[in-house]
Amino acid sequence: MMKKQFLYTGLAVMLSLSAVAQQDQNAVKFGQIINAQRGRAHLSILASDEYEGRETGKKGAWMAADYIKKQFQSFGLKGPVKGGNDPYFQKVDLVTYDLTQSSLSINGKAKQKNTDFLISNASVGINGLDINANEIVFAGYGISRDGYNDFDGINVEGKVVMVFASGDPTAKTSDTEKPNQRAIMMARQKMMSNIAKNKPKAILLIDPNFDKTPNYLKEASANGRIMLKNAASAKALERPIPYVTITISPATADEILKAGSTSVAAVTQKIAESGKPASQVLNVSLVANATKKENAHRGENVLGFLEGSDAKLKNEVLIITGHYDHIGLVQDPNAKDKVNNGADDDGSGTTGVLLMAEAFSKAKKAGKGPKRSILFMTVVGEEKGLLGSEWYSENPVFPVENTIADLNTDMIGRVGEPYLGKPDSANYVYSVGSFKLSTELGKIAEQVNDTYTKMKLDYKFDDPKDPQQIYYRSDHYNFAKLGIPVIFYYDGMLEQDYHQPGDEISKINFDLLAKRAHLTYYIAWELANRANRPVVDKNADGSSKTN
């Protein structure tokens, strides 16, 4: 039974692919609109300093959304969104929960925010913070391991515990070994996890570099991360925070340790010389408070709709996506280059969507439009956690069951390692997810590539053991979760300039961008015109539906 079913399915796929064996001259004709010159024109605007890095919820992203909308209008695409203020904009409900005030007092003496202490947004639940304690437990470095335990003989459950934030000074390292940022972060995480097992009410972290931390970073820590206002976020916000973390300066710690007739310098020296903990209970009163407020932020997915020409097939929709947001301005006021332009990430993919939208629109005006409908959608909030595509997946403009596939372009403008300097450096693309849900879609993509673009398709990131987990890191994934087959095209540029001001338009290979957009366009042309939509023969985990 299974062998027969496989045989029939394989035969159907082979028959369906035979239609791609030769070039469609209409596809080639209108595909000429996708070229380096047009690509440069769009990207020079989207990745300009004027657009301020297109951060979600900020001016630059709104400017990008308006630009894309005007392009869609000029092509003749329709705005398919109903019930909003603008049919081209799908409003995405974005919010942050920001700290409006925070305070700390020691023995009745008020401390100064950002000078003496810092309560970060992540440490405060949705209902705010209110701590009143009459003692503080000093627990050294918060370490528990063989031969050394800062918690030996003390109980911190439900109490305020104070520890150094600077790793394990008693751990043995080689003379040549130097701590790196990742090692420091891992040590901090291990320490915090160890402290959490002891169930404290709050943790005071003594930061030796508190006074050197730039004020802009301290101020930014009060801001909440931008998120969707949806059921999942509401549920997450309801979860109680197991403990509060308050960062304090060494001077504030000295004030607390004074109750034990010691100081930061003295207790540090004592632990270093003895190799033993110096934990103790300090009779110090502490009051900490903080409140949060919900703030709404503007954000929208920009949608341009091209209705299909076939009376039956036009109810089926192919979606072509790219995210237009990036990470915005550099926070450091002393930075020479203050704009994260995001030319490759993902100005390049957004440019590709615009080029394809114009090509298909020209084809329709000439009476050669696709049989199925196509939704061109640039989404917001990808850099904040795939927010725009998640919003669309929960609030689809067109029924999910009528959506035949999503083709996603995210970073298609540069040459990444290991292709730098190689003969095929300007003729490759990473193909991600094309076989994950639909064997047929993957085969169609390969046949289209063989027929038109002849690029090297690199499937490296389809490996389930991919340490980067790229498949889960762009907007196609929110369609895949719904069982919609996807392809994500990507240049692999994670080494140079990724999320840095150096991601500039001057580094874009526009011929390569256009070629990758051509590949996506020809696949879209095939999918929008073929007799049948791609068969979904696999489950979300990659297992066969026939098993």
Side-chain angles (χ1 to χ4, degrees):
M1 176 87 175
M2 286 178 62
K3 287 184 180 179
K4 286 184 179 179
Q5 189 165 7
F6 176 79
L7 178 62
Y8 296 152
T9 302
L11 182 60
V13 169
M14 285 189 289
L15 289 172
S16 71
L17 291 176
S18 63
V20 198
Q22 61 183 25
Q23 294 185 354
D24 183 320
Q25 292 309 306
N26 284 319
V28 173
K29 175 183 176 181
F30 295 105
Q32 293 175 9
I33 291 167
I34 301 170
N35 58 58
Q37 183 179 3
R38 273 185 168 85
R40 184 181 291 275
H42 288 307
L43 193 54
S44 295
I45 294 171
L46 290 169
S48 65
D49 284 356
E50 183 183 1
Y51 278 53
E52 298 182 350
R54 308 186 306 277
E55 183 174 2
T56 297
K58 302 287 180 67
K59 168 189 169 185
W62 308 335
M63 293 172 68
D66 288 335
Y67 176 81
I68 295 163
K69 167 193 164 181
K70 289 175 183 176
Q71 296 305 308
F72 284 167
Q73 286 177 315
S74 71
F75 301 156
L77 298 176
K78 302 299 182 184
V81 181
K82 295 179 174 60
N85 295 327
D86 191 316
Y88 290 90
F89 286 166
Q90 182 188 40
K91 181 178 180 293
V92 179
D93 282 349
L94 298 171
V95 293
T96 56
Y97 294 89
D98 304 316
L99 288 183
T100 55
Q101 71 84 30
S102 59
S103 63
L104 175 71
S105 66
I106 304 295
N107 287 330
K109 181 181 177 181
K111 310 310 294 179
Q112 187 173 345
K113 183 180 74 171
N114 294 345
T115 299
D116 302 317
F117 77 97
L118 173 65
I119 300 176
S120 69
N121 187 289
S123 294
V124 181
I126 189 65
N127 296 317
L129 166 67
D130 186 7
I131 293 177
N132 196 324
N134 292 318
E135 64 179 22
I136 297 173
V137 181
F138 174 66
Y141 293 89
I143 301 165
S144 298
R145 56 173 174 74
D146 291 344
Y148 187 97
N149 184 2
D150 279 316
F151 297 98
D152 190 23
I154 62 170
N155 177 24
V156 301
E157 184 172 351
K159 298 179 181 180
V160 177
V161 59
M162 181 171 71
V163 296
F164 291 114
S166 52
D168 182 353
T170 64
K172 295 182 188 257
T173 57
S174 68
D175 293 337
T176 58
E177 185 178 347
K178 294 182 179 180
N180 57 51
Q181 197 59 40
R182 178 174 174 78
I184 292 170
M185 189 170 67
M186 294 294 288
R188 173 77 66 86
Q189 290 175 348
K190 184 177 180 181
M191 179 193 73
M192 296 299 286
S193 176
N194 184 55
I195 298 172
K197 292 176 184 176
N198 292 275
K199 301 179 180 178
K201 178 191 293 184
I203 300 173
L204 300 182
L205 280 176
I206 307 168
D207 183 358
N209 297 312
F210 190 88
D211 298 333
K212 298 176 184 178
T213 303
N215 204 55
Y216 73 89
L217 291 178
K218 294 175 180 176
E219 292 289 348
S221 71
N223 300 327
R225 66 179 181 86
I226 202 162
M227 62 178 70
L228 296 178
K229 190 172 183 180
N230 61 3
S233 293
K235 187 174 181 180
L237 289 167
E238 289 172 1
R239 298 191 196 108
I241 293 177
Y243 56 85
V244 173
T245 303
I246 303 174
T247 305
I248 60 174
S249 68
T252 303
D254 276 342
E255 203 170 319
I256 295 169
L257 287 167
K258 187 177 179 181
S261 300
T262 188
S263 65
V264 169
V267 78
T268 301
Q269 183 178 358
K270 182 179 179 180
I271 296 173
E273 291 179 350
S274 68
K276 297 179 180 179
S279 305
Q280 57 181 304
V281 178
L282 304 164
N283 294 318
V284 177
S285 67
L286 176 146
V287 177
N289 298 103
T291 56
K292 271 187 173 181
K293 178 185 177 183
E294 178 185 294
N295 291 311
H297 299 269
R298 174 188 162 184
E300 52 267 320
N301 296 327
V302 190
L303 281 63
F305 181 64
L306 188 75
E307 186 176 40
S309 61
D310 186 277
K312 292 182 179 179
L313 295 180
K314 69 179 181 180
N315 289 325
E316 295 183 350
V317 180
L318 168 67
I319 299 181
I320 298 177
T321 53
H323 73 89
Y324 68 86
D325 67 299
H326 192 53
I327 62 172
L329 297 172
V330 176
Q331 292 185 24
D332 185 352
N334 298 316
K336 293 181 180 179
D337 187 348
K338 292 183 168 55
V339 182
N340 292 295
N341 299 83
D344 192 33
D345 185 13
D346 181 35
S348 63
T350 300
T351 294
V353 174
L354 290 173
L355 294 173
M356 288 183 273
E358 184 179 10
F360 275 105
S361 297
K362 294 279 189 185
K364 182 172 182 178
K365 288 176 183 176
K368 305 297 182 181
K371 295 177 181 179
R372 288 183 177 82
S373 297
I374 302 179
L375 176 64
F376 299 93
M377 179 165 62
T378 58
V379 296
V380 74
E382 192 270 356
E383 301 290 4
K384 305 295 185 181
L386 314 186
L387 300 184
S389 54
E390 180 181 348
W391 185 263
Y392 183 90
S393 73
E394 295 175 353
N395 305 275
V397 173
F398 298 98
V400 169
E401 59 270 20
N402 290 357
T403 303
I404 68 164
D406 171 59
L407 305 179
N408 185 44
T409 52
D410 186 353
M411 301 173 65
I412 58 170
R414 290 183 65 175
V415 177
E417 294 181 5
Y419 286 91
L420 285 169
K422 300 293 178 64
D424 53 0
S425 63
N427 196 46
Y428 83 96
V429 69
Y430 286 105
S431 177
V432 185
S434 60
F435 286 93
K436 288 282 189 181
L437 294 171
S438 171
T439 303
E440 186 176 15
L441 178 60
K443 293 295 184 183
I444 289 170
E446 289 185 336
Q447 185 66 58
V448 167
N449 180 55
D450 289 343
T451 303
Y452 292 96
T453 45
K454 296 178 172 55
M455 299 190 79
K456 177 182 178 181
L457 303 181
D458 192 324
Y459 295 103
K460 169 185 174 181
F461 296 114
D462 274 345
D463 185 347
K465 296 179 181 178
D466 164 32
Q468 301 287 350
Q469 294 294 288
I470 293 296
Y471 176 66
Y472 305 96
R473 290 173 54 180
S474 191
D475 295 295
H476 61 282
Y477 181 62
N478 279 318
F479 295 94
K481 288 195 299 186
L482 300 175
I484 296 169
V486 301
I487 304 178
F488 165 33
Y489 286 125
Y490 165 59
D491 60 22
M493 178 58 75
L494 282 178
E495 305 86 12
Q496 298 182 36
D497 305 319
Y498 178 68
H499 284 190
Q500 298 293 327
D503 185 3
E504 300 268 10
I505 190 170
S506 60
K507 298 176 182 178
I508 297 297
N509 183 328
F510 283 97
D511 289 328
L512 185 54
L513 186 160
K515 191 163 190 179
R516 289 163 173 163
H518 268 129
L519 172 61
T520 313
Y521 160 79
Y522 286 124
I523 294 170
W525 186 283
E526 175 64 24
L527 293 175
N529 287 293
R530 66 193 293 106
N532 299 304
R533 61 194 287 176
V535 174
V536 178
D537 60 344
K538 296 180 182 178
N539 299 304
D541 62 0
S543 61
S544 173
K545 283 183 176 290
T546 60
N547 290 340

